[in-house]
Amino acid sequence: MSKAVKVDEDAKSRLEELQAEIRLETGESVTQQELLSRLIDDAYQDREAVIDSFRSSTVPLSDAEKARMVEGRVSSGVETREEDIDDILYGGPEDV
């Protein structure tokens, strides 16, 4: 069940470039059909990123992006007041 998919010349050129690079790097020849299938499989596995790439804006963050930000946070054990942030970042009046 092979159907034709039309792509512009730039996309076709980049596909051919990828195909040639795969052959140079791995010594394996792949057809454009195999390459497109692999690219689609990879995109399907990371579909949220593909979907997000079509959004006009990345704000607000997705739930997954928010979760990744929270995972990277580490508590220093010191409570920082909002009014202290500028002093911490840029130096307090005593640094002038």
Side-chain angles (χ1 to χ4, degrees):
M1 175 186 23
S2 179
K3 296 277 185 177
V5 175
K6 293 183 181 183
V7 295
D8 61 35
E9 287 300 317
D10 188 45
K12 175 79 169 162
S13 175
R14 288 182 286 161
L15 184 64
E16 290 168 350
E17 187 178 317
L18 274 171
Q19 186 182 20
E21 192 168 342
I22 290 168
R23 182 171 183 176
L24 285 172
E25 295 287 331
T26 67
E28 298 289 325
S29 293
V30 296
T31 66
Q32 290 181 2
Q33 179 65 44
E34 291 170 318
L35 178 54
L36 281 171
S37 291
R38 175 73 59 91
L39 293 170
I40 291 167
D41 288 345
D42 290 350
Y44 189 80
Q45 294 300 316
D46 194 12
R47 68 183 83 168
E48 187 172 326
V50 174
I51 292 167
D52 286 346
S53 75
F54 284 91
R55 296 187 196 285
S56 59
S57 172
T58 58
V59 177
L61 297 177
S62 69
D63 289 339
E65 290 169 320
K66 290 176 188 175
R68 284 192 297 264
M69 285 182 64
V70 170
E71 287 172 7
R73 291 186 184 160
V74 177
S75 176
S76 67
V78 177
E79 187 172 329
T80 304
R81 298 177 308 156
E82 187 173 343
E83 51 272 6
D84 295 333
I85 293 175
D86 281 345
D87 290 344
I88 292 168
L89 291 174
Y90 306 112
E94 65 277 355
D95 295 330
V96 177

